[in-house]
Amino acid sequence: DTEVTQTPKHLVMGMTNKKSLKCEQHMGHRAMYWYKQKAKKPPELMFVYSYEKLSINESVPSRFSPECPNSSLLNLHLHALQPEDSALYLCASSQVVGSNYGYTFGSGTRLTVV
Amino acid sequence: QKEVEQNSGPLSVPEGAIASLNCTYSDRGSQSFFWYRQYSGKSPELIMFIYSNGDKEDGRFTAQLNKASQYVSLLIRDSQPSDSATYLCAGSNTGNQFYFGTGTSLTVIP
């Protein structure tokens, strides 16, 4: 299995809703990441988990809350989002942080906040 | 200062030509470099990675790294319309952080 699986593929939520994005990989990778990508922009790093521990939080607002329940799963909990948070949210994994072999990306969740 | 810089393009080449995509980086301690292809609305897909000076070839793709000039490039030979996409250069720096360039939009004209 060489994939990173993200669910749901599309999500529309109101500003008062609570929702979660899910990411799963079974490649034995010990680093997992959340990225946010706006149209015609490169992905922006949000969070890095290394061996299930949060190692980098790129000054992301607290309305985004990551969770890594085990080495295969990564969640992103969303609460009280703003319309400007609408974007493609990408999960990625790598063997370890700083791997020479790059990251494998999931297909992303297209989030729309209304 | 951005870690990785790319010419955003757009770059247009005729079918069958060589497409040349370029990237410069600022951190001399950066170890590894990656080229990702991203089709509109899709996630980035790793095409090649390189961490040694020189050329690395994989099919129609050749990655080139020049650490003295802090320069990375991707050559696509015999370009096909299906190669039309945004190409993202990325680097891994001394802090084991991973930075994307802004991407270069490539259009291959049939």
Side-chain angles (χ1 to χ4, degrees), chain A residues 41-94:
Chain A
K41 298 288 187 183
E44 296 176 30
L45 182 64
M46 299 175 73
F47 301 105
V48 178
Y49 273 84
S50 179
Y51 290 88
E52 296 92 71
K53 294 192 186 322
L54 182 64
S55 65
I56 294 176
N57 175 342
E58 291 282 1
S59 303
V60 179
S62 59
R63 57 186 183 269
F64 296 91
S65 175
E67 178 197 20
C68 189
N70 59 55
S71 61
S72 300
L73 295 175
L74 185 66
N75 298 322
L76 185 63
H77 303 297
L78 314 173
H79 174 55
L81 294 193
Q82 303 297 310
E84 60 264 28
D85 296 321
S86 299
L88 180 67
Y89 287 84
L90 294 162
C91 175
S93 71
S94 63

Side-chain angles (χ1 to χ4, degrees), chain B residues 5-18:
Chain B
E5 302 242 13
Q6 285 183 262
N7 184 338
S8 61
L11 174 66
S12 294
V13 299
E15 185 174 356
I18 296 175

Side-chain angles (χ1 to χ4, degrees), chain A residues 35 37 40-45 56 58 88 90 97-108 110, chain B residues 31-32 34 36 38 41-46 49-51 88 92 95-103:
Chain A
Y35 279 84
Q37 188 175 27
K40 299 190 186 301
K41 298 288 187 183
E44 296 176 30
L45 182 64
I56 294 176
E58 291 282 1
L88 180 67
L90 294 162
V97 170
S99 167
N100 281 340
Y101 302 103
Y103 293 9
T104 301
F105 281 87
S107 57
R110 176 75 59 189
Chain B
Q31 301 292 323
S32 305
F34 310 88
Y36 284 83
Q38 188 172 25
K42 301 295 186 182
S43 62
E45 173 194 7
L46 181 65
F49 63 88
I50 186 168
Y51 47 82
L88 296 161
S92 176
N96 284 332
Q97 292 188 330
F98 194 86
Y99 290 94
F100 283 98
T102 51

Side-chain angles (χ1 to χ4, degrees), chain B residues 4-9 11 19-25 34-35 62 64 70-76 87-90 101-105:
Chain B
V4 175
E5 302 242 13
Q6 285 183 262
N7 184 338
S8 61
L11 174 66
S20 178
L21 304 160
N22 305 311
C23 172
T24 58
Y25 61 94
F34 310 88
W35 283 100
T62 299
Q64 299 174 318
Q70 296 178 239
Y71 179 89
V72 189
S73 65
L74 179 70
L75 300 177
I76 307 175
Y87 288 80
L88 296 161
C89 174
T102 51
T104 299
S105 175

